[in-house]
């Protein structure tokens, strides 16, 4: 059965609506960055770039690094943008855009996020690299989908109890990364931990300007959460959506974080640009090993 035009929207040239991409424009190994300006910071290392496009905050470049074809896409900020990017990328590979019907032979994508984050734990220093072993969804976007098969209810229940999670908020969701990608990209120098994904930058991450918070102690509670050695190591705005949708769609996903701040010690990197650059080169080399 074909998808309705209102469900799978295409541009007049046949590209998917938001990303402005056709299937031939994209590799099956994709690097996510948040900032459109960070796309070139990745592709400047490529041997060649064959394709470029941008629509709104979604900027895409595809090329080759050490003989491997890679695509870099900027997602913008937040889980709502990830919902757009991942669904449209999956459609490019797994839906026939002419007949608008699902393909019988599905393609599994490898998705690696390269982002920046602040550590919540004092022993994870600035200028380090962190792999998100799990993601903690605090924003609720994934509740729009049937997610029971990808959840970790024991950790979720422990988190709810530990933080006295408010009943009117969306229930937290824990999702695991791709262990295959983790094995490929980890090293002795990388840290690992549970990454919390908030739905906003200010109140949802415990920042106070003019508006009081519903739970002013939430960040402190998250800092002290420990489930059999699994701690919440950092806080950002995309990883849980990437992990959740990737699991549901059958893709492999891993989130890499350049730690540029430590909120526990109050320190900030003296060279955050250099830390991101180092993580980009590290990730590219690991992806193409």
């Amino acid at each position: 059965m074909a998808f309705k035009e209102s469900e799978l929207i295409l541009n007049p040239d046949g590209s998917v609506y938001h990303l402005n991409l056709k299937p031939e424009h994209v590799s099956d190994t994709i690097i996510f960055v948040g900032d459109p300006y960070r796309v070139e910071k990745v592709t400047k290392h490529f041997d060649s770039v064959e394709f470029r496009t941008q629509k709104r905050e979604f900027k895409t470049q595809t090329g080759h690094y050490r003989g491997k074809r890679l695509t870099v896409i900027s997602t913008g900020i937040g889980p709502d943008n990830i919902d757009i990017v991942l669904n449209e990328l999956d459609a490019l590979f797994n839906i026939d855009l002419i007949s608008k019907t699902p393909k019988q032979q599905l393609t599994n994508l490898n998705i690696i996020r390269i982002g920046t984050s602040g550590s919540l734990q004092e022993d994870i220093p600035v200028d380090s690299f962190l792999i998100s072993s799990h993601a903690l969804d605090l924003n609720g976007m994934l509740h729009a989908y049937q997610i029971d098969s990808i959840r970790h209810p024991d950790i979720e229940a422990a988190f709810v109890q530990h933080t006295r999670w408010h009943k009117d908020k969306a229930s937290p969701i824990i999702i695991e990364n791709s262990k295959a990608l983790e094995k490929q990209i980890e090293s002795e120098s990388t840290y690992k931990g549970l990454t919390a994904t908030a739905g906003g930058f200010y109140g949802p991450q415990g920042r106070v300007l003019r508006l009081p918070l519903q739970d002013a102690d939430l960040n402190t509670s998250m800092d002290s959460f420990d489930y059999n050695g699994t701690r919440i190591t950092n806080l950002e705005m995309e990883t849980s959506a990437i992990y959740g949708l990737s699991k549901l769609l059958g893709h492999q996903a891993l989130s890499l974080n350049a730690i540029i701040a430590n909120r526990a010690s109050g320190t900030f990197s003296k060279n955050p640009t250099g830390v991101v650059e180092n993580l980009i080169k590290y990730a590219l080399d690991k992806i193409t090993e």
Side-chain angles (χ1 to χ4, degrees):
M1 183 175 179
F3 297 104
K4 297 177 181 178
E5 291 185 6
S6 60
E7 307 306 292
L8 178 57
I9 305 169
L10 302 179
N11 296 310
D13 67 352
S15 61
V16 289
Y17 182 66
H18 295 92
L19 300 186
N20 208 34
L21 296 173
K22 296 180 181 179
E24 62 266 26
H25 296 152
V26 188
S27 166
D28 60 4
T29 299
I30 304 162
I31 295 171
F32 281 3
V33 296
D35 186 350
Y37 290 102
R38 194 173 289 162
V39 172
E40 273 91 0
K41 292 181 179 180
V42 179
T43 60
K44 73 179 183 181
H45 298 285
F46 283 15
D47 305 316
S48 61
V49 176
E50 67 186 57
F51 174 79
R52 295 177 173 88
T53 192
Q54 182 170 3
K55 184 177 181 181
R56 303 183 186 180
E57 62 267 58
F58 308 115
K59 184 173 186 175
T60 303
Q61 294 188 5
T62 295
H64 289 81
Y65 179 80
R66 294 185 175 177
K68 186 174 180 65
R69 190 170 187 250
L70 302 172
T71 294
V72 185
I73 295 180
S74 62
T75 63
I77 298 174
D80 49 343
N81 275 18
I82 298 299
D83 183 61
I84 292 171
V85 173
L86 255 163
N87 274 291
E88 291 194 2
L89 281 175
D90 181 78
L92 288 171
F93 285 88
N94 294 319
I95 295 175
D96 185 317
L97 299 184
I98 296 175
S99 66
K100 291 195 173 182
T101 57
K103 294 180 179 178
Q104 291 187 342
Q105 186 71 34
L106 300 180
T107 299
N108 298 324
L109 306 178
N110 291 316
I111 297 165
I112 300 96
R113 172 186 179 269
I114 299 177
T116 56
S117 190
S119 171
L120 300 178
Q121 304 295 336
E122 195 163 6
D123 61 329
I124 300 178
V126 295
D127 301 341
S128 61
F129 302 160
L130 184 137
I131 290 174
S132 302
S133 63
H134 299 75
L136 166 60
D137 187 280
L138 303 175
N139 57 81
M141 185 277 288
L142 290 171
H143 283 290
Y145 300 97
Q146 296 179 16
I147 56 173
D148 286 348
S149 64
I150 64 170
R151 301 182 72 163
H152 291 263
D154 292 345
I155 312 178
E156 293 169 8
F159 177 80
V160 167
Q161 181 177 10
H162 180 80
T163 59
R164 298 185 177 89
W165 191 254
H166 197 278
K167 62 179 179 62
D168 291 339
K169 291 181 178 180
S171 62
I173 308 162
I174 302 284
I175 316 106
E176 196 171 36
N177 68 9
S178 161
K179 292 305 173 189
L181 284 180
E182 180 185 292
K183 184 178 180 180
Q184 178 182 349
I185 291 175
E186 70 178 344
S187 69
E188 292 180 357
S189 63
T190 51
Y191 292 82
K192 282 191 286 189
L194 194 159
T195 294
T197 299
F201 183 77
Y202 289 97
Q205 294 191 36
R207 293 181 174 92
V208 179
L209 298 181
R210 293 203 313 117
L211 297 175
L213 301 178
Q214 179 274 322
D215 183 356
D217 298 322
L218 179 58
N219 274 18
T220 302
S221 299
M222 289 199 299
D223 293 350
S224 60
F225 178 71
D226 189 318
Y227 182 84
N228 296 334
T230 297
R231 301 178 299 164
I232 300 173
T233 49
N234 60 314
L235 183 60
E236 47 80 89
M237 295 177 62
E238 287 84 35
T239 296
S240 70
I242 295 170
Y243 282 10
L245 292 174
S246 294
K247 288 281 186 186
L248 293 172
L249 291 166
H251 305 310
Q252 306 292 315
L254 192 73
S255 180
L256 305 177
N257 303 269
I259 300 299
I260 61 172
N262 187 297
R263 295 182 71 173
S265 64
T267 55
F268 191 83
S269 173
K270 291 181 171 55
N271 185 15
T273 302
V275 181
V276 174
E277 174 71 8
N278 289 339
L279 180 58
I280 288 169
K281 289 188 288 187
Y282 174 88
L284 285 172
D285 289 343
K286 284 290 188 179
I287 291 168
T288 55
E289 277 184 353

